[in-house]
Amino acid sequence: MNRKYNGDEPYAYWLANVLGIGNRMKRKLSAYTKSARAVYEMPEKELAQFLSGKKAEKMVKERKRWDVEGEYGKLQEKGVNFVSLSEPSYPEKLAAIEDAPFGLYFYGRLPDESVPSVAIIGARECSEYGRYMAGLWGNQLAGEGVALISGMARGIDSIGQRAALEAGGNSYAVLGCGADICYPAESRDIYEQMKMQGGILSEYPPGTGPKPQLFPPRNRIISGLSDVVVIIEAREKSGTLITADMALEQGKEVYALPGRATDSLSEGCNRLIKQGAGLMLSVSEMLEETGLREKKERWEENLSGAKSGEGDKGQVKLEDCLDFYPKSIEQLQGESGMEYREIVCRLMGLCMEGEVKQVSAGCYQKNGKYNIRI
């Protein structure tokens, strides 16, 4: 059975799939009309105020051929979640970047805004030293309660993510293809594991195959979702440095692992450090320097507050609102009278305990083992 959706979701999905119009314009149109459905219903003359005549005409013709609810139903049948920029559950960090994707397709869940997140990226053909450091820091970040963001690429990316998952942490992969395609195929194990311990994200519709031109744009999402980007091994002219540049443009902290001056795999990292990037020597030191440790401690305090003291009373109220059919955060907010952030924090705690599960973007329901109060 397809889950229920609000009246705007199928139209947001349609708008995300409109070709020839960039993310900025889609965002502008949505802000102007206040909903994707209103964009869909805009007269051609009004559309022409934002788009060239030919683009406005093409958009009107294409929307007549698009079965809004039918196409959205097909997406649901595939089990892929979709969230648009206009929804509260869209990641705030990502929404803040200049060219944020209008829509995200994902499995699992979206990164929690209150949890610190770090991207570990680097060379595909890495050295044993690079492999060791990626694994070590992936493991340590997970132990510190930090979410790991990466692209699941062969080499440094997947090694760091695998280490984080094996340590019981959360990791999120941003793909340069549809979220329903595991690329590279050799990473199938962590691809499946991230659906349970994080998420698989993409701005490309399901079924989109991996193409070289799709990977550079996805790097802005990796850095956009991260508080800090850590580079482990990169040649002087490396694609990894594209992510570093994007991170700096977004105002994010960039750290790099130093290497020998004679090692070509360290040329890019050494150059970044010379230009002002942070010197990555230890996870603990990086967390202190960037303020992420303080952010992590605040998150832990909020999480523990949801389980004790006055938080218990609020949690009972939230439990009373939850049921065995999905409810959105907005529904829970209206029924409980709790603040949005408080609900998200407490839901995360319940999900971690296995008492509640997220069934789609911003929708939660009780698990079978949930303790029913009598």
Side-chain angles (χ1 to χ4, degrees):
M1 181 185 295
N2 290 341
R3 73 176 180 86
K4 294 181 179 179
Y5 51 81
N6 66 53
D8 206 48
E9 287 177 0
Y11 294 91
Y13 175 56
W14 159 76
L15 186 54
N17 282 271
V18 172
L19 300 176
I21 301 175
N23 290 307
R24 293 185 185 89
M25 180 53 68
K26 291 174 183 178
R27 189 173 191 168
K28 186 176 181 179
L29 286 168
S30 295
Y32 171 74
T33 61
K34 308 302 182 187
S35 76
R37 181 167 187 164
V39 176
Y40 180 85
E41 295 172 346
M42 283 178 76
E44 186 175 339
K45 287 185 179 180
E46 192 173 4
L47 274 172
Q49 297 176 20
F50 298 88
L51 306 171
S52 66
K54 288 185 178 180
K55 284 188 176 181
E57 182 182 355
K58 183 180 178 183
M59 188 169 174
V60 170
K61 287 181 178 179
E62 286 186 351
R63 72 187 180 191
K64 290 179 180 178
R65 293 196 293 265
W66 183 275
D67 179 2
V68 176
E69 295 196 1
E71 291 297 327
Y72 190 68
K74 291 178 184 178
L75 179 69
Q76 290 183 304
E77 289 171 3
K78 293 177 181 177
V80 181
N81 298 307
F82 173 78
V83 62
S84 70
L85 259 169
S86 59
E87 294 183 57
S89 55
Y90 190 97
E92 291 182 13
K93 292 176 193 171
L94 188 58
I97 72 172
E98 186 177 358
D99 191 24
F102 180 77
L104 285 175
Y105 305 88
F106 66 98
Y107 287 116
R109 60 181 183 272
L110 297 168
D112 188 312
E113 293 295 315
S114 61
V115 179
S117 55
V118 171
I120 286 186
I121 58 175
R124 287 175 171 80
E125 303 298 332
C126 54
S127 69
E128 285 302 315
Y129 173 58
R131 295 176 63 87
Y132 174 79
M133 297 309 298
L136 175 67
W137 286 343
N139 178 284
Q140 291 179 350
L141 285 167
E144 290 278 3
V146 176
L148 200 69
I149 314 288
S150 198
M152 208 177 76
R154 186 178 70 252
I156 296 297
D157 294 40
S158 59
I159 292 167
Q161 291 189 295
R162 179 173 279 107
L165 293 168
E166 289 176 351
N170 295 324
S171 187
Y172 301 84
V174 183
L175 305 185
C177 55
D180 59 333
I181 297 175
C182 177
Y183 184 83
E186 65 202 54
S187 295
R188 171 64 65 177
D189 59 336
I190 60 173
Y191 173 86
E192 295 297 339
Q193 197 170 352
M194 269 187 278
K195 292 180 181 180
M196 298 178 287
Q197 288 176 241
I200 304 292
L201 293 73
S202 177
E203 68 175 314
Y204 306 116
T208 304
K211 299 176 183 177
Q213 65 267 30
L214 301 183
F215 287 88
R218 69 88 187 256
N219 293 340
R220 79 190 193 287
I221 302 176
I222 294 175
S223 55
L225 290 170
S226 306
D227 294 303
V228 176
V229 173
V230 176
I231 312 293
I232 298 179
E233 294 193 329
R235 299 184 189 276
E236 184 96 47
K237 296 180 180 179
S238 166
T240 300
L241 301 184
I242 296 175
T243 310
D245 290 340
M246 290 178 173
L248 292 170
E249 289 174 4
Q250 294 167 2
K252 304 298 178 73
E253 297 273 3
V254 174
Y255 275 69
L257 171 70
R260 294 174 298 186
T262 55
D263 190 343
S264 62
L265 279 170
S266 295
E267 288 176 350
C269 290
N270 291 340
R271 181 71 60 186
L272 283 172
I273 293 169
K274 184 177 181 180
Q275 293 172 349
L279 185 64
M280 185 66 183
L281 298 177
S282 76
V283 165
S284 179
E285 187 176 86
M286 181 272 291
L287 292 177
E288 291 289 348
E289 291 176 354
T290 58
L292 287 188
R293 186 176 297 284
E294 183 181 351
K295 180 177 181 179
K296 168 182 165 289
E297 290 170 353
R298 287 199 303 270
W299 170 68
E300 289 174 339
E301 288 173 4
N302 291 335
L303 193 59
S304 62
K307 298 180 181 178
S308 62
E310 294 183 0
D312 284 342
K313 298 178 183 178
Q315 186 167 304
V316 171
K317 184 186 291 185
L318 183 59
E319 289 173 357
D320 290 340
C321 298
L322 289 161
D323 210 320
F324 288 100
Y325 63 87
K327 287 189 177 183
S328 68
I329 294 177
E330 290 74 20
Q331 283 178 284
L332 294 171
Q333 189 176 12
E335 294 173 11
S336 68
M338 296 166 61
E339 293 294 328
Y340 183 88
R341 287 291 186 188
E342 186 180 6
I343 290 176
V344 171
C345 181
R346 294 183 183 179
L347 282 172
M348 181 177 179
L350 292 170
C351 286
M352 290 174 68
E353 295 169 6
E355 296 179 337
V356 170
K357 63 179 179 179
Q358 183 179 12
V359 294
S360 60
C363 286
Y364 297 80
Q365 70 180 47
K366 290 180 180 180
N367 244 342
K369 67 176 186 176
Y370 198 98
N371 296 321
I372 301 175
R373 296 176 182 268
I374 300 176

Coordinates of all heavy atoms in Angstrom, one line a residue, residues 8 20 45 98 100 130 142 161 188 196 219 269 288 301 335 349 372-373:
D8 N 1.1 18.4 -1.9 CA 2.2 19.1 -2.7 C 3.3 18.1 -3.1 O 4.1 18.4 -4.0 CB 2.8 20.2 -1.9 CG 3.4 21.3 -2.8 OD1 2.7 21.7 -3.7 OD2 4.5 21.7 -2.5
G20 N 15.9 21.4 -18.0 CA 16.1 22.7 -18.6 C 16.0 23.9 -17.6 O 16.1 25.0 -18.0
K45 N 1.7 32.9 -19.2 CA 2.1 34.3 -19.2 C 2.8 34.6 -17.9 O 3.8 35.4 -17.9 CB 0.9 35.2 -19.4 CG 0.3 35.2 -20.8 CD -0.8 36.2 -20.9 CE -1.3 36.3 -22.3 NZ -2.5 37.3 -22.5
E98 N 24.3 27.6 -2.0 CA 23.8 28.4 -3.1 C 23.0 27.6 -4.1 O 21.9 28.0 -4.6 CB 24.9 29.1 -3.8 CG 24.4 30.1 -4.9 CD 25.6 30.9 -5.5 OE1 26.7 30.7 -5.1 OE2 25.3 31.7 -6.4
A100 N 21.6 24.4 -3.9 CA 21.1 23.2 -3.2 C 20.2 22.4 -4.2 O 19.4 23.0 -4.9 CB 20.3 23.5 -2.0
G130 N 47.3 5.7 3.5 CA 46.0 6.3 3.3 C 44.9 5.4 3.8 O 43.9 5.8 4.4
A142 N 33.2 7.6 14.3 CA 32.0 6.8 14.8 C 31.9 6.7 16.3 O 30.9 6.9 16.9 CB 32.0 5.5 14.1
Q161 N 34.0 4.9 5.3 CA 32.6 4.6 5.6 C 32.4 3.2 6.2 O 31.7 3.0 7.1 CB 31.7 4.7 4.3 CG 31.6 6.2 3.9 CD 30.6 6.4 2.8 OE1 30.8 6.0 1.7 NE2 29.6 7.2 3.1
R188 N 28.6 -3.1 -2.4 CA 27.2 -3.5 -2.1 C 27.0 -3.8 -0.6 O 26.0 -3.4 -0.1 CB 26.9 -4.8 -2.8 CG 25.6 -5.5 -2.5 CD 24.4 -4.7 -2.8 NE 24.2 -4.5 -4.2 CZ 23.2 -3.8 -4.8 NH1 22.3 -3.3 -4.0 NH2 23.1 -3.7 -6.1
M196 N 20.5 1.0 6.9 CA 20.1 0.8 8.2 C 20.8 1.7 9.2 O 20.3 2.1 10.3 CB 20.3 -0.7 8.6 CG 19.4 -1.7 7.8 SD 19.8 -3.4 8.2 CE 21.4 -3.6 7.5
N219 N 29.5 16.4 -5.5 CA 30.5 16.8 -4.4 C 30.0 17.9 -3.6 O 30.4 18.0 -2.4 CB 31.9 17.1 -5.1 CG 32.5 15.8 -5.7 OD1 32.2 14.7 -5.4 ND2 33.4 16.1 -6.6
C269 N 47.1 17.3 -0.8 CA 46.9 17.6 0.6 C 47.9 18.7 1.1 O 47.6 19.6 1.8 CB 47.1 16.3 1.4 SG 45.7 15.2 1.2
E288 N 38.1 19.5 18.6 CA 38.2 20.6 19.5 C 38.4 21.9 18.7 O 37.8 22.9 19.0 CB 39.5 20.4 20.4 CG 39.3 19.3 21.4 CD 38.4 19.6 22.5 OE1 38.0 20.8 22.7 OE2 38.0 18.7 23.3
E301 N 23.5 15.9 25.5 CA 22.7 16.4 26.6 C 21.2 16.4 26.2 O 20.4 16.0 27.0 CB 23.2 17.8 26.9 CG 24.5 17.9 27.6 CD 25.0 19.3 27.8 OE1 24.2 20.2 27.5 OE2 26.1 19.5 28.3
E335 N -0.2 17.3 17.6 CA -0.8 16.5 18.6 C -0.2 16.5 20.0 O -0.8 16.4 21.0 CB -0.9 15.0 18.2 CG -1.7 14.8 16.9 CD -1.6 13.3 16.4 OE1 -1.0 12.5 17.1 OE2 -2.1 13.1 15.3
G349 N 16.3 9.3 19.3 CA 16.6 8.4 20.4 C 15.8 7.1 20.4 O 16.4 6.0 20.6
I372 N 3.9 -1.0 24.8 CA 2.6 -0.3 24.8 C 2.3 -0.1 26.3 O 2.3 -1.0 27.1 CB 1.5 -1.2 24.2 CG1 1.9 -1.4 22.7 CG2 0.2 -0.5 24.3 CD1 0.9 -2.3 22.0
R373 N 1.9 1.1 26.6 CA 1.6 1.5 28.0 C 0.1 1.2 28.2 O -0.8 1.6 27.4 CB 1.9 3.0 28.2 CG 3.4 3.3 28.2 CD 3.6 4.8 28.3 NE 5.0 5.0 28.2 CZ 5.9 5.1 29.2 NH1 5.4 4.8 30.4 NH2 7.1 5.3 29.0

